[in-house]
Amino acid sequence: MISVLKETKEPKVAIPCCKALGQLGHPDAIDILADVLSKRKAPFFRKKWDTQVRTSAILALKQISHPRVAKLLSRYEDDTDVQVRLAART
C-alpha cells in the first residue's frame, strides 16, 4: 500500500490506500500519510492532493494509535481547507 500511495497520482487510488493504511493501524504508515496530508492542491507540476485525499489521510491517521499522530494532526487544525481543518479538530 505504501509504495502504491507513493507512486500514484490518482485520487481514486490514493483514497482507498489511505483508508487501508488506517485500518491496518501500523505506525509505519504515519510518514506516508503525513506526506499525503502536507501536499495541498496547487497549480504547479508537483504531485498535490485534493481535499478528499487529504481528509482520507487524516481519518486514516486517527486510526493509528501512536503519540506522533496527535501532534501531527494538531498542525492541521488551522488548515486553509475547511474539510481538512474540521477532520483534524474532531
Side-chain angles (χ1 to χ4, degrees), residues 1-85:
M1 284 295 148
I2 290 174
S3 61
V4 172
L5 191 53
K6 284 181 181 180
E7 298 297 321
T8 189
K9 295 179 183 178
E10 296 296 322
K12 290 181 181 181
V13 174
I15 291 170
C17 284
C18 289
K19 289 179 181 180
L21 289 171
Q23 289 174 350
L24 291 172
H26 198 281
D28 287 348
I30 294 173
D31 290 332
I32 186 63
L33 291 168
D35 188 49
V36 168
L37 186 54
S38 70
K39 294 182 177 175
R40 295 178 181 92
K41 190 81 173 159
F44 299 106
F45 295 107
R46 295 186 326 183
K47 180 170 69 172
K48 299 290 185 175
W49 294 116
D50 64 10
T51 298
Q52 291 178 321
V53 176
R54 294 180 69 229
T55 302
S56 294
I58 284 181
L59 297 176
L61 282 165
K62 287 183 168 190
Q63 294 179 25
I64 300 172
S65 180
H66 194 277
R68 285 182 51 209
V69 172
K71 183 182 260 188
L72 178 64
L73 292 178
S74 69
R75 295 182 205 164
Y76 295 95
E77 290 178 352
D78 294 320
D79 197 87
T80 56
D81 188 313
V82 174
Q83 288 182 318
V84 171
R85 184 171 59 237

